[in-house]
């Protein structure tokens, strides 16, 4: 089986490359953004038609949520046009496209958990660009799996865990937003879920195409997540002293991009279809000593 991976140096892409390398019957074709610009329609078509992958995994994305407000054209080109290019190329060669999306496609106004069929309504440029990417895939791809995830963190790349550890070294107190809720999700677990779906497809088993949610449990606020990070860091001797976390409202920490207050995703469908369990971010934090800022 040939698997073409984009964004192989990103948080999830790096984990995907590491995991796919270990599967004996997989020929991995891993590309970073310098090697494959997914916005370049001609380059995407040429590479996909030449390599003829069985599976395309798109881990490339513009993820700078606040910067996207000022760089909307760049965000849309990568998250919308890039996804569209890969979807059309995948259809031409009969490949399965697995694409990573986000909780930010929702407005965050719902009380309970968001399901795959809930009404979308992104409140940021980033969210709108990712939703446009989803819609482009649905409209033009014959075989696709779109996985919406949330609050991604891991040992590789930039993320909330690394930011908190860096700030903890020079601050005795940290103010962290306490009125946004979601499920922190370990990048390695997202990769593991995608690989499980890919393997099922490789075995020529029936795969239910469509939208899926995959994120971590338990759901927490950013401030609660920060406290868990610091407690784990102290337990693992990463930090000698941990800062006091002070709860603040979103309005007390204005950012260029608006965030959904509720990012809690219902992950039952992916469990039912693929026997994939939600990410346990508390267990994932056991490797916190490997999080180099």
């Amino acid at each position: 089986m040939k698997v073409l991976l984009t964004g192989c140096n990103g948080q999830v892409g790096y984990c995907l490359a590491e995991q796919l390398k270990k599967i004996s019957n997989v020929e991995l074709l891993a590309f970073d953004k310098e090697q494959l610009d997914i916005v370049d329609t001609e380059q995407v078509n040429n590479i996909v038609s030449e390599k003829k992958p069985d599976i395309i995994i798109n881990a490339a994305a513009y993820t700078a949520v606040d910067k996207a407000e000022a760089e909307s054209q760049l965000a849309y080109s990568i998250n919308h046009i890039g996804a569209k290019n890969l979807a059309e190329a995948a259809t031409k060669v009969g490949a399965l496209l697995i694409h990573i999306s986000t909780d930010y496609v929702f407005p965050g106004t719902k009380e309970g958990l968001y399901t795959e069929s809930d009404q979308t309504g992104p409140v940021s440029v980033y969210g709108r660009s990712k939703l446009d990417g989803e819609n482009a895939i649905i409209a033009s791809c014959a075989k696709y799996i779109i996985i919406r995830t949330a609050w991604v963190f891991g040992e590789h790349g930039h993320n909330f865990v690394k930011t908190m550890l860096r700030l903890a070294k020079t601050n005795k107190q940290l103010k962290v937003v306490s009125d946004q809720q979601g499920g922190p999700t370990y990048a390695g677990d997202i990769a593991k879920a995608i690989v499980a779906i890919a393997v099922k497809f490789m075995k020529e088993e029936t795969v239910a195409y469509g939208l899926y949610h995959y994120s971590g449990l338990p759901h927490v606020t950013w401030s609660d997540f920060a406290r868990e990070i610091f407690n784990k860091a102290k337990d693992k001797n990463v930090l000698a002293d941990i800062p006091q976390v002070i709860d603040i409202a979103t309005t007390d920490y204005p950012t260029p991009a608006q965030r959904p207050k509720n990012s809690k995703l219902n992950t039952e469908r992916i469990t039912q279809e693929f026997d994939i369990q939600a990410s346990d971010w508390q267990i994932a934090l056991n490797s916190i000593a490997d999080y180099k800022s």
Side-chain angles (χ1 to χ4, degrees):
M1 275 280 177
K2 284 186 181 180
V3 178
L4 189 154
L5 171 65
T6 68
C8 67
N9 285 333
Q11 278 198 96
V12 179
Y14 180 85
C15 296
L16 277 163
E18 291 300 301
Q19 293 183 27
L20 287 165
K21 287 174 187 174
K22 298 174 183 177
I23 302 177
S24 58
N25 62 334
V26 167
E27 180 184 346
L28 177 61
L29 310 167
F31 294 88
D32 61 24
K33 61 184 178 181
E34 282 74 32
Q35 297 165 323
L36 173 56
D37 178 6
I38 64 172
V39 178
D40 187 332
T41 307
E42 184 178 1
Q43 186 184 29
V44 170
N45 285 330
N46 288 343
I47 288 177
V48 171
S49 62
E50 177 193 343
K51 302 297 185 181
K52 292 183 172 56
D54 301 286
I55 300 171
I56 297 173
I57 302 175
N58 182 30
Y62 182 104
T63 58
V65 178
D66 287 321
K67 286 179 68 177
E69 297 297 311
E71 298 180 346
S72 59
Q73 186 174 353
L74 180 59
Y76 277 102
S77 66
I78 297 170
N79 294 340
H80 175 205
I81 303 304
K84 181 175 182 286
N85 286 341
L86 290 170
E88 292 175 347
T91 296
K92 288 176 185 176
V93 298
L96 166 66
L97 174 62
I98 303 177
H99 174 78
I100 303 168
S101 192
T102 175
D103 55 314
Y104 280 31
V105 299
F106 294 112
T109 53
K110 184 179 179 179
E111 289 296 322
L113 308 183
Y114 276 102
T115 67
E116 290 84 352
S117 60
D118 278 330
Q119 184 69 41
T120 54
V123 294
S124 66
V125 168
Y126 168 69
R128 288 191 290 273
S129 69
K130 291 296 287 183
L131 181 60
D132 284 356
E134 287 186 10
N135 290 333
I137 291 169
I138 293 167
S140 58
C141 193
K143 298 183 289 189
Y144 69 88
I145 298 284
I146 296 171
I147 297 177
R148 292 174 180 152
T149 190
W151 297 21
V152 181
F153 71 95
E155 298 90 344
H156 189 83
H158 302 287
N159 54 69
F160 184 76
V161 175
K162 289 187 176 184
T163 299
M164 289 298 102
L165 291 176
R166 175 173 51 81
L167 292 174
K169 294 175 182 177
T170 55
N171 294 272
K172 292 184 178 180
Q173 290 184 336
L174 286 172
K175 296 178 179 179
V176 186
V177 170
S178 62
D179 57 359
Q180 295 174 24
Q181 290 185 300
T185 316
Y186 179 52
D189 288 341
I190 300 171
K192 186 177 178 182
I194 290 172
V195 169
I197 294 170
V199 168
K200 186 178 177 70
F201 180 78
M202 290 173 198
K203 292 179 178 177
E204 298 184 348
E205 297 179 15
T206 301
V207 172
Y209 304 126
L211 274 169
Y212 290 90
H213 288 173
Y214 181 79
S215 64
L217 289 175
H219 294 121
V220 287
T221 65
W222 285 112
S223 58
D224 287 336
F225 187 29
R227 290 186 183 94
E228 288 289 336
I229 292 166
F230 296 141
N231 288 336
K232 186 68 72 173
K234 189 170 184 180
D235 288 344
K236 299 293 182 179
N237 297 316
V238 173
L239 293 173
D241 299 300
I242 60 177
Q244 177 190 9
V245 176
I246 300 171
D247 291 352
I248 62 169
T250 298
T251 52
D252 295 326
Y253 186 70
T255 55
Q258 186 179 342
R259 265 81 168 168
K261 290 289 186 75
N262 174 18
S263 284
K264 297 184 291 185
L265 301 178
N266 184 317
T267 61
E268 290 179 1
R269 186 178 185 227
I270 201 167
T271 301
Q272 292 168 353
E273 293 290 347
F274 297 104
D275 195 28
I276 293 170
Q277 304 301 315
S279 174
D280 189 327
W281 58 266
Q282 291 172 314
I283 289 178
L285 283 179
N286 283 331
S287 64
I288 201 163
D290 297 326
Y291 285 62
K292 310 300 182 186
S293 59

